[in-house]
Amino acid sequence: MDNIGHRLFQHTGDSSQKSVQERHAASPNSGESDADLLDAYSRAVVRVVESVGPAVVSVVVGKNSPGWRGEQVGAGSGVAVSPEGYILTNNHVVQGAGRIEICTADGTALPARLVGADPATDLAVLRAGTADLPYASFGDSGALAVGQLAIAIGNPLGFDSTVSTGVLSALGRAFRSRDGRLIENIIQHTAPLNPGNSGGPLVDSRGRVIGINTAIIPMAQGICFSIPSNTASWVLPQLVADGRVRRGYLGIAGQSQPLPQHLVAALGLAANQAVEVVSVNRASPAGRAGLRPGDRIIAINETCVTCVDDLHRFLAAWPIAEPATVTIVRNQRRITLPIVPAEAVACTASG
C-alpha cells in the first residue's frame, strides 16, 4: 500500500475529522515523498521532451494539380530515426500523396519523398531534403511491462509538438491493418491521441522510441495503439533498401474451419481447426504444388495451421523461393506436398 493509501486507511474508522494540514503535519515525511515522486515524474517527462522533441516532425501531404501549387489533403506526425534523414510515419498518413512536406520542431518546412511503405504494418519511411535532422533511437519493445510510463509526442489536430502521457495498459494486442493482415504485438496505452498524432513516436522514460502511434478506436476513450519498435526496426531497413517489405505468398484464398472430431482422432491431429482452401490461383505456388479447393491445410513445414494468420506469420519469416512443405487433409487422408513460396506483389488478406 502506498503512503497516501496508508494514511487514508488509518483514518477510515476515525470519527474525528482532521484538516489536510493536520494530516500532513502528522506524517510530514510521507508528504514530502509524494511531492518528490511527482517532481521526479515531471522531470522525466521534461527530459524526454527535450531529447526527443526535436526529432519529431509534422507531415503534410497534398495532391498536385496542373497550374496549382498543390492542395493539402492530410496531416500527421513522424519521427526522424537516423542521421541520414530517414523519417518513420504511418502508411495511411502518406498513402496516395502527390506531395509531401515535413515541418521540424523549429518551424522549418522541408520537402520530403516517400522511400517506401508497408501497408501490412501501417508503416512508411520518408526522407527529408536534409541530413541534418536530430534523430531518436529505438528501444526494445520486447522488454516493455504493463504499467510503465508512456509519452506520446506529435501534432494532434494541427497543434505542433504536443505531449501527452499515460501508461502501457496492455501488450501483445492484435488488430487488422487496412489490407486485412493481422498486425501483432501491438502496444495499447493511455497517452491520449487525436487525429494528427498518427505516425508520431511513443517514448519511454529514457527517451527511447518504443512504438509508432497508429490508431485510436472511435468512441472508446483512452484506448490508443502503437506499432512496436521491434516491428518498426525490422521494417525500416527493408523499406530503405527495397521500398517494400518482401513477403511470400502461396496463391490461395482460405478460411478457418473446424475439423470433425472423429477426423482429428483418426489422424492424430494437433488441433481441431484448419484452413480450408476456397480457391487456388493455378499459376501460383499453391497451384503448382497441386493444392485444390476443399483441401484443409493443417500444417506448413510441420508448424500447426489453424487460421490464415498462421500462414501469414510463416510467410513473413520464411525466405522467398525457399522450398517448404504443406500438410493437408484431403478425402479423409493426410497428404504432404512440396511448395515454394513466391514473392507477393501486393499484400492481401488471403494466403
Side-chain angles (χ1 to χ4, degrees):
M1 183 180 296
D2 60 23
N3 291 325
I4 295 175
H6 182 63
R7 293 197 300 275
L8 290 175
F9 180 78
Q10 285 181 322
H11 290 284
T12 300
D14 193 345
S15 59
S16 62
Q17 299 296 317
K18 294 184 179 180
S19 68
V20 172
Q21 291 84 353
E22 287 175 325
R23 290 199 296 272
H24 275 283
S27 48
N29 292 333
S30 60
E32 291 175 358
S33 176
D34 295 337
D36 290 342
L37 288 173
L38 290 173
D39 286 343
Y41 175 87
S42 296
R43 287 193 298 270
V45 175
V46 169
R47 282 195 303 269
V48 167
V49 174
E50 289 176 344
S51 63
V52 180
V56 180
V57 301
S58 62
V59 179
V60 178
V61 300
K63 58 183 180 181
N64 293 324
S65 303
W68 296 85
R69 179 177 178 271
E71 178 185 351
Q72 180 178 336
V73 295
S77 304
V79 57
V81 290
S82 79
E84 294 82 18
Y86 291 110
I87 296 165
L88 263 175
T89 186
N90 285 153
N91 173 70
H92 77 259
V93 170
V94 296
Q95 189 172 30
R99 172 178 61 90
I100 304 174
E101 186 177 85
I102 65 163
C103 186
T104 64
D106 63 7
T108 302
L110 297 168
R113 66 179 179 87
L114 179 63
V115 174
D118 184 40
T121 56
D122 195 24
L123 292 173
V125 175
L126 310 177
R127 192 169 191 181
T130 178
D132 296 329
L133 292 176
Y135 63 94
S137 299
F138 286 120
D140 179 8
S141 58
L144 299 177
V146 172
Q148 77 177 72
L149 175 65
I151 303 165
I153 308 176
N155 306 283
L157 304 174
F159 295 102
D160 292 344
S161 304
T162 298
V163 179
S164 57
T165 63
V167 297
L168 303 184
S169 51
L171 302 171
R173 295 290 196 222
F175 64 76
R176 300 284 171 186
S177 65
R178 295 190 174 191
D179 71 352
R181 279 185 179 263
L182 191 70
I183 308 178
E184 296 186 283
N185 296 319
I186 296 297
I187 299 168
Q188 181 182 323
H189 62 89
T190 62
L193 301 178
N194 285 289
N197 267 118
S198 289
L202 186 71
V203 188
D204 67 11
S205 59
R206 297 187 179 182
R208 299 170 299 193
V209 175
I210 55 174
I212 301 296
N213 292 316
T214 188
I216 57 174
I217 297 179
M219 308 302 292
Q221 296 182 2
I223 302 180
C224 307
F225 298 98
S226 293
I227 303 298
S229 58
N230 288 0
T231 298
S233 60
W234 175 74
V235 168
L236 174 63
Q238 297 185 70
L239 295 185
V240 170
D242 301 320
R244 67 190 190 283
V245 175
R246 301 183 67 202
R247 291 183 176 88
Y249 93 114
L250 301 182
I252 66 167
Q255 59 187 3
S256 183
Q257 290 286 356
L259 293 169
Q261 195 59 45
H262 70 86
L263 187 63
V264 173
L267 298 180
L269 303 182
N272 59 4
Q273 291 275 128
V275 171
E276 181 181 1
V277 177
V278 176
S279 64
V280 180
N281 181 343
R282 290 186 179 181
S284 70
R288 290 189 291 270
L291 282 169
R292 306 171 189 169
D295 289 342
R296 286 169 285 188
I297 300 174
I298 58 173
I300 186 164
N301 257 29
E302 300 184 359
T303 299
C304 185
V305 170
T306 61
C307 61
V308 173
D309 294 323
D310 291 335
L311 293 175
H312 285 162
R313 293 186 191 100
F314 175 83
L315 293 169
W318 189 252
I320 293 168
E322 184 75 17
T325 58
V326 59
T327 304
I328 63 172
V329 173
R330 178 190 294 169
N331 298 328
Q332 314 296 311
R333 295 172 55 225
R334 182 202 298 255
I335 301 172
T336 298
L337 301 172
I339 194 167
V340 182
E343 182 177 355
V345 176
C347 296
T348 66
S350 60

